[in-house]
């Protein structure tokens, strides 16, 4: 069994509320991540024990369950108190690589931060997060992980009616968010803001020098993260500051989706009416979120006017970091190892053509890697001349352009099947997405773009 070492639980008590998950009626393990369990030290648990522990019914020795406090900007509006309304941090373990990881249950019952919510999750979003977060990991994108999914044997009520309840076990480098800083900043609680800043530095960026050093490190991590999302056509959908991880991991998979047909204005989330979190807005929103992070950090600075100047410089640098990471990744997608600013036009020309022709994002880049003629003929001529200067562009393109992404229609189909008790589509998705860059003949249907009648145009928040 893993040794728990719960550093968050040792922070001042204003950071959280200690409380146990609410036990559920009849927990059943429906998914378990053996590889991750081995890394974390949970490999010896029997399936029956897993069901009990990862439903929140049984608390293992060393666990200290708590709900974390945070605030956040939701769609641009500041909410001074949010917090884990349906999640419990069970504790932290040091994994086999020596890294500290949070073990968190999501859907595990109400907390003092639940507001009007029931503290629960239904099976659909739990399986969606499980599949998509594990797919992101296999693609090489920093992300929280999924350890287990358990059905509760209880019904919960949503717009669609009565649905099976479920609990997800989520693993993260930490659950510290921009919103965690914002809650103390908004209260003028400088003492705890400083404690949190020191804690975050120690836990994630030990070389960072003070609050500005932390800001610089988080900006760099977020810049890389957003460029990685863009390079796979991923739309997070709810880039609120409470869903923005200080560790630079993708966190809180709600109405997220991977695009099929490319369009920079693409939105999936049914609640994102203004398109604030549209695909092409993600770099701008990441910068906006880091400005909010800077605003929160500044409350502890001795010379605020100088700090504002320094913070602005860091945000400007981040803007360049996003562009550089974007250029590097999209350059590689078209076979250029180290793209130069001069290559930007070549990439943009292809993307413009893709949006005009509604080309499938993933299939287009994969086809390019497989040697198909892509784009208008004048583009092909320019591109061929450019990649002639590169060593083995095909191998490079095949290593960065996946054959498989969790396509929205396949994820929805998987959920529909699971509701009938059929987990075959779940297993197929899991298997194909574990090695997304390798063509697998059995899974051709998972590589294909949706037919007209298969397109799932929107995703729902799924709370
Ligand atoms: P999210 O949009 O999932 O990031 O959630 C935003 C806030 O709403 C967080 O504080 C969540 O804990 C809370 N929340 C979401 N769904 C529920 C629910 N069913 N019950 C209680 N709180 C919830
Ligand atoms: Mg959230």
């Amino acid at each position: 069994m893993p040794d728990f070492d719960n550093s968050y639980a040792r922070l001042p008590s204003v950071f959280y509320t200690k409380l146990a998950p609410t036990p559920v009626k009849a927990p059943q393990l429906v998914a378990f991540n053996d590889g991750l369990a081995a890394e974390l030290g949970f490999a010896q648990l029997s399936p029956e024990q897993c069901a009990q522990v990862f439903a929140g019914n049984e608390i293992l020795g060393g666990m200290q369950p708590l709900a974390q406090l945070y605030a956040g900007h939701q769609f641009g509006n500041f909410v001074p108190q949010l917090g884990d309304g349906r999640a419990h941090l069970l504790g932290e373990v040091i994994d086999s690589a020596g890294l500290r990881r949070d073990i968190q249950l999501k859907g595990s019952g109400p907390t003092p931060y639940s507001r009007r919510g029931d503290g629960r999750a239904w099976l659909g979003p739990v399986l969606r997060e499980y599949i998509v977060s594990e797919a992101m990991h296999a693609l090489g994108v920093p992300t929280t992980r999924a350890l287990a999914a358990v059905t509760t044997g209880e019904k919960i009520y949503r717009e669609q009616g009565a649905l099976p309840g479920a609990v997800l076990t989520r693993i993260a480098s930490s659950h510290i968010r921009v919103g965690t800083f914002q809650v103390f900043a908004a209260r003028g609680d400088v003492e705890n803001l400083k404690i949190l800043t020191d804690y975050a530095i120690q836990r994630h960026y030990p070389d960072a020098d003070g609050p500005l050093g932390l800001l610089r490190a988080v900006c760099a991590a977020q810049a890389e993260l957003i460029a990685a999302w863009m390079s796979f056509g991923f739309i997070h959908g709810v880039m609120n500051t409470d869903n923005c991880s200080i560790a630079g991991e993708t966190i809180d998979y709600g109405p997220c989706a991977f695009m099929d047909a490319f369009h920079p204005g693409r939105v999936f989330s049914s609640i994102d009416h203004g398109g604030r979190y549209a695909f092409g807005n993600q770099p701008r929103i990441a910068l906006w979120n880091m400005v909010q992070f800077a605003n929160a950090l500044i409350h502890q600075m001795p010379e605020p006017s100088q700090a504002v100047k320094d913070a602005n410089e860091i945000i400007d640098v981040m803007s360049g970091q996003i562009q550089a990471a974007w250029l590097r990744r999209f350059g590689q997608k078209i076979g250029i190892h180290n793209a130069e600013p001069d290559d930007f036009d070549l990439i943009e020309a292809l993307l413009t053509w893709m949006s005009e022709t509604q080309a499938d994002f993933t299939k287009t880049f994969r086809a390019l890697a497989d040697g198909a003629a892509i784009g208008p003929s004048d583009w092909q001529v320019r591109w061929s001349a450019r990649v002639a200067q590169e060593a083995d562009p095909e191998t490079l393109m095949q290593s960065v352009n996946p054959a498989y992404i969790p396509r929205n229609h396949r994820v929805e189909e998987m959920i529909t099947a699971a509701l009938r008790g059929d987990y075959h589509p779940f297993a197929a998705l899991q298997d194909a997405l574990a090695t997304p860059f390798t063509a697998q003949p059995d899974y051709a249907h998972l590589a294909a773009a949706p037919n007209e009648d298969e397109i799932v145009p929107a995703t729902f928040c799924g709370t």
Side-chain angles (χ1 to χ4, degrees), residues 404-452:
Y404 305 97
I405 48 149
R407 290 184 182 273
N408 215 21
H409 67 299
R410 296 301 181 200
V411 172
E412 292 298 326
E413 184 181 77
M414 172 277 286
I415 292 170
T416 306
L419 288 174
R420 291 193 307 263
D422 175 7
Y423 280 80
H424 290 105
F426 178 86
L429 272 175
Q430 205 179 11
D431 195 31
L433 293 166
T435 52
F437 300 104
T438 308
Q440 303 160 66
D442 287 352
Y443 295 130
H445 66 294
L446 299 180
N451 298 323
E452 196 93 33

Side-chain angles (χ1 to χ4, degrees), residues 102-117:
D102 274 7
I103 317 294
Q104 194 208 56
L105 300 183
K106 186 170 170 183
S108 43
T111 77
Y113 316 120
S114 297
R115 296 175 294 163
R116 287 184 305 278

Side-chain angles (χ1 to χ4, degrees), residues 70 74 82-83 106 170 177 238 240 242-244 251-252:
Y70 50 84
Q74 299 192 306
L82 291 164
K106 186 170 170 183
R170 175 160 82 177
R177 308 138 190 273
V238 217
N240 293 338
D242 54 302
N243 294 338
C244 180
I251 190 168
D252 261 358

Side-chain angles (χ1 to χ4, degrees), residues 276-356:
R276 178 181 170 90
Y277 300 136
F279 177 76
N281 271 351
Q282 296 183 117
R284 207 173 57 77
I285 294 293
L287 286 164
W288 192 89
N289 285 348
M290 289 301 100
V291 170
Q292 307 318 314
F293 185 35
N295 284 343
L297 286 167
I298 273 167
H299 290 261
Q300 64 190 299
M301 313 288 273
E303 285 180 73
S305 60
Q306 182 59 39
V308 169
K309 224 172 122 247
D310 294 342
N312 276 327
E313 257 173 51
I314 294 169
I315 305 291
D316 281 349
V317 168
M318 178 180 173
S319 179
Q321 287 170 327
I322 299 176
Q323 284 170 37
W326 187 97
L327 185 62
R328 187 187 78 240
R329 285 187 174 267
F330 277 84
Q332 291 172 352
K333 287 180 82 67
I334 65 165
I336 304 169
H337 288 85
N338 294 299
E340 301 285 337
D342 277 354
D343 294 313
F344 181 81
D345 284 349
L346 187 65
I347 300 166
E348 268 300 312
L350 178 63
L351 290 172
T352 301
W353 172 82
M354 285 168 63
S355 75
E356 283 166 4

Side-chain angles (χ1 to χ4, degrees), residues 18-278:
K18 286 192 172 162
L19 90 164
T22 305
V24 300
K25 204 163 82 189
Q28 265 199 315
L29 190 64
V30 292
F32 190 66
N33 191 332
D34 293 304
L36 183 57
E39 282 174 35
L40 297 170
F42 287 113
Q44 314 91 312
L45 286 177
S46 71
E48 294 73 29
Q49 276 177 304
C50 281
Q52 294 296 330
V53 170
F54 300 118
N57 283 21
E58 185 186 330
I59 303 299
L60 296 174
M63 288 178 173
Q64 291 173 290
L66 58 85
Q68 292 176 314
L69 172 72
Y70 50 84
H73 278 91
Q74 299 192 306
F75 289 90
N77 304 307
F78 187 64
V79 183
Q81 189 190 297
L82 291 164
D84 291 333
R86 53 165 171 170
H88 293 76
L89 177 64
L90 296 177
E92 301 154 34
V93 302
I94 309 299
D95 71 11
S96 52
L99 301 171
R100 179 177 293 276
R101 319 273 291 268
D102 274 7
I103 317 294
Q104 194 208 56
L105 300 183
K106 186 170 170 183
S108 43
T111 77
Y113 316 120
S114 297
R115 296 175 294 163
R116 287 184 305 278
D118 60 0
R120 293 297 182 187
W122 73 274
L123 183 59
V126 165
L127 294 180
R128 168 181 279 273
E129 174 156 353
Y130 194 112
I131 286 292
V132 179
S133 65
E134 286 303 299
M136 290 287 265
H137 173 70
L139 289 167
V141 181
T143 178
T144 61
R145 303 286 306 277
L147 177 64
V150 175
T151 50
T152 62
E154 296 173 2
K155 289 275 178 242
I156 62 167
Y157 299 88
R158 295 290 182 268
E159 249 170 75
Q160 307 94 307
L163 297 160
V167 179
L168 177 77
T169 305
R170 175 160 82 177
I171 309 301
S173 293
S174 85
H175 286 84
I176 310 170
R177 308 138 190 273
V178 168
T180 318
F181 289 82
Q182 288 181 297
V183 78
F184 297 120
R187 292 175 178 183
D189 184 348
V190 173
E191 190 186 331
N192 283 308
L193 185 62
K194 280 184 172 164
I195 290 172
L196 177 61
T197 303
D198 290 344
Y199 177 80
I201 290 173
Q202 209 180 45
R203 185 159 175 182
H204 295 300
Y205 306 102
D207 298 333
D209 186 8
L212 286 171
L214 177 62
L215 176 65
R216 202 173 284 117
V218 177
C219 283
Q222 285 287 331
E224 278 298 330
L225 180 67
I226 268 55
W229 288 357
M230 307 288 284
S231 78
F232 295 116
F234 178 76
I235 304 169
H236 182 283
V238 217
M239 291 175 70
N240 293 338
T241 57
D242 54 302
N243 294 338
C244 180
S245 155
I246 295 306
E249 291 177 339
T250 313
I251 190 168
D252 261 358
Y253 292 85
C256 63
F258 287 77
M259 270 188 295
D260 297 304
F262 174 67
H263 194 284
R266 190 75 178 89
V267 173
F268 279 94
S269 170
S270 60
I271 57 169
D272 189 2
H273 304 295
R276 178 181 170 90
Y277 300 136

